[in-house]
Amino acid sequence: METVKLPIGFRFHPTDEELLIHYLKRKVLSLPLPANVIPELEAFQFNPWDLPGDLKEKRYFFCKRKRNLVNKCGYWKSSGRDKQIAASESNNVIGIKKSFVFYQDRKLKTQWVMQEFSLVGFLKTPFLNQRLLMQVGDWVVCRLYQRKRKARSPSISKNELGASVAQTTSLLPMSPSCSSGITDISSSDLDQEASSRFL
Amino acid sequence: METVKLPIGFRFHPTDEELLIHYLKRKVLSLPLPANVIPELEAFQFNPWDLPGDLKEKRYFFCKRKRNLVNKCGYWKSSGRDKQIAASESNNVIGIKKSFVFYQDRKLKTQWVMQEFSLVGFLKTPFLNQRLLMQVGDWVVCRLYQRKRKARSPSISKNELGASVAQTTSLLPMSPSCSSGITDISSSDLDQEASSRFL
């Protein structure tokens, strides 16, 4: 995977539509991609913190459509409704976004979210007065990120005097091993409870 | 202002910290910037939809610190608490983020948000057992964007059959003129009310 060198502040932040039309669709059609930045990897098979890339950034992976949602440390649970993604110009539905949350040790809900994008096409039926929406292509593209835990910083008085230390919540990557990962989750869950009192 | 050519999906999306340390601080110190992507413009003096750049993207401007929050079409009203931005490595406070919302015709709240970032330094006082936080430098940097209005798309049944038309809410740019802009706001406010019934 070649790296794209960018000035500070620039990053790969595609919209859902760009991801579907310019990356996934071209991948499915075996056409050259705008940039070679999305590795092929069965992302659902790994713990999210073990996947390559910067843990603080949104990460993208091409995966085969048939995926196993369980690995040895936990599983990905479907979260929320599937969302239809429409092309901004035509307003035609071009894809579906499904969201998953990672549960560690089969019970601990983590902050890790995987969004899976698949292409769709319409199938016309001679019998029904409606079109059927179908997933197409062998590939999907996934966006992995860690949901933020925000702690509100103390207010600053208008005369520019304020508390001297900011309260910030960092996104701590979890340990690569399952067991120590659980310890990390427990402690950060406590942090979340503590910080939620400020909200 | 030279343009930075990027493959599709890449954009200028700096973190608050990158914006403060690598752009604003270097601007204040008259050092070369990582990229020449932030124009100097008194952004608060203009209607947000009249400012240069893509209205669907986050836009950035260097402004002089003393700004006038009122223009002929409306005004920017302070929104929420000021937030201290800390450097991720040292956890030292490096800047303050203030947020503003644009009100058109002095009463209509719009979806336009301006975040103003300024550098801060600490002033040691011989009298008090605390450090005073002060804004420093002649420049601030602003991030302008339009708050999203989300309409939830209809659910898709698990057997991949679904409604054939997606519900999407587009971010309509408002007209450059004040009066027609008001009309646009009113109609999109109605849209918002309509879409909120789906939430």
Side-chain angles (χ1 to χ4, degrees):
Chain A
M1 182 68 40
E2 70 193 60
T3 53
V4 180
K5 287 197 177 182
L6 300 166
I8 291 170
F10 289 83
R11 35 182 55 84
F12 184 55
H13 263 205
T15 63
D16 294 354
E17 185 181 353
E18 286 171 344
L19 202 54
L20 281 163
I21 293 180
H22 297 284
Y23 287 87
L24 182 57
K25 189 174 176 183
R26 295 183 71 85
K27 176 80 175 173
V28 165
L29 296 173
S30 297
L31 293 170
L33 304 179
N36 192 16
V37 285
I38 307 181
E40 290 178 14
L41 201 68
E42 292 312 308
F44 287 99
Q45 297 284 296
F46 296 87
N47 301 316
W49 52 92
D50 288 338
L51 284 163
D54 186 339
L55 274 71
K56 290 180 185 169
E57 299 285 343
K58 289 183 177 174
R59 288 175 284 166
Y60 295 86
F61 305 98
F62 283 125
C63 315
K64 286 285 179 184
R65 187 139 69 87
K66 299 291 174 200
R67 66 303 194 243
N68 181 4
L69 295 175
V70 181
N71 70 28
K72 62 177 181 173
C73 282
Y75 67 98
W76 290 96
K77 187 180 173 185
S78 180
S79 166
R81 290 180 177 189
D82 297 350
K83 188 182 171 189
Q84 294 180 359
I85 309 295
S88 52
E89 284 191 9
S90 64
N91 211 28
N92 287 337
V93 177
I94 51 169
I96 295 173
K97 176 162 72 173
K98 296 171 185 280
S99 293
F100 301 86
V101 172
F102 191 70
Y103 284 72
Q104 199 177 13
D105 195 32
R106 307 210 165 221
K107 58 187 175 192
L108 291 166
K109 185 179 181 180
T110 70
Q111 298 296 108
W112 289 102
V113 176
M114 188 87 85
Q115 294 175 336
E116 182 199 73
F117 297 83
S118 51
L119 292 171
V120 293
F122 287 105
L123 191 72
K124 286 184 184 170
T125 58
F127 319 110
L128 302 169
N129 191 21
Q130 81 179 94
R131 294 182 300 168
L132 301 182
L133 199 58
M134 289 187 66
Q135 281 184 303
V136 293
D138 290 335
W139 293 94
V140 296
V141 64
C142 294
R143 179 191 282 143
L144 173 67
Y145 63 97
Q146 217 172 348
R147 207 167 265 161
K148 279 183 190 171
R149 291 168 173 155
K150 277 190 182 175
R152 189 169 286 183
S153 64
S155 63
I156 300 166
S157 64
K158 296 298 176 192
N159 60 4
E160 295 175 2
L161 305 180
S164 59
V165 180
Q167 287 176 346
T168 56
T169 329
S170 59
L171 296 174
L172 290 171
M174 284 181 284
S175 161
S177 78
C178 292
S179 54
S180 56
I182 292 170
T183 314
D184 283 342
I185 280 192
S186 307
S187 66
S188 54
D189 276 352
L190 288 173
D191 289 348
Q192 190 186 23
E193 280 181 29
S195 66
S196 66
R197 289 180 210 135
F198 294 101
L199 299 177
Chain B
M1 181 68 40
E2 69 193 60
T3 53
V4 180
K5 287 198 176 180
L6 299 167
I8 291 170
F10 289 82
R11 36 182 53 85
F12 185 55
H13 263 204
T15 63
D16 294 354
E17 186 181 353
E18 285 171 345
L19 202 54
L20 280 163
I21 293 180
H22 297 284
Y23 287 86
L24 181 57
K25 189 174 174 182
R26 295 183 71 86
K27 176 81 175 174
V28 165
L29 296 173
S30 298
L31 293 170
L33 304 180
N36 193 16
V37 286
I38 308 179
E40 289 178 16
L41 200 70
E42 291 312 307
F44 287 99
Q45 296 284 295
F46 296 87
N47 300 317
W49 52 91
D50 288 337
L51 283 162
D54 186 340
L55 274 69
K56 290 181 185 170
E57 299 284 342
K58 288 183 177 175
R59 288 175 285 166
Y60 296 85
F61 305 98
F62 283 124
C63 315
K64 287 285 182 186
R65 186 138 70 88
K66 298 292 174 202
R67 71 283 192 262
N68 180 5
L69 295 176
V70 181
N71 69 29
K72 63 177 182 173
C73 281
Y75 66 98
W76 290 98
K77 186 180 174 186
S78 180
S79 166
R81 291 180 176 190
D82 296 351
K83 188 182 171 189
Q84 295 180 358
I85 309 296
S88 50
E89 283 191 10
S90 64
N91 211 28
N92 287 336
V93 177
I94 52 170
I96 295 173
K97 176 162 71 174
K98 297 170 184 281
S99 293
F100 300 86
V101 172
F102 191 70
Y103 283 73
Q104 199 178 14
D105 196 32
R106 308 212 164 220
K107 58 186 176 193
L108 290 167
K109 186 179 180 179
T110 70
Q111 298 295 108
W112 289 101
V113 175
M114 188 87 84
Q115 293 175 336
E116 182 199 74
F117 296 83
S118 51
L119 293 171
V120 294
F122 285 105
L123 192 71
K124 286 185 183 170
T125 57
F127 319 111
L128 302 168
N129 190 21
Q130 79 178 94
R131 295 181 302 167
L132 301 182
L133 199 59
M134 287 187 68
Q135 282 185 301
V136 293
D138 289 335
W139 294 94
V140 296
V141 65
C142 294
R143 178 191 283 143
L144 173 67
Y145 63 96
Q146 216 171 348
R147 206 168 267 163
K148 279 183 189 171
R149 291 169 173 153
K150 278 190 181 175
R152 189 169 287 184
S153 66
S155 63
I156 300 164
S157 65
K158 296 297 175 191
N159 62 2
E160 294 173 2
L161 306 179
S164 60
V165 179
Q167 288 177 346
T168 55
T169 329
S170 60
L171 296 173
L172 290 172
M174 283 181 285
S175 162
S177 78
C178 292
S179 54
S180 55
I182 292 171
T183 314
D184 283 345
I185 280 193
S186 308
S187 65
S188 54
D189 276 353
L190 288 174
D191 289 346
Q192 190 184 24
E193 279 180 33
S195 66
S196 67
R197 290 181 211 136
F198 294 101
L199 300 177

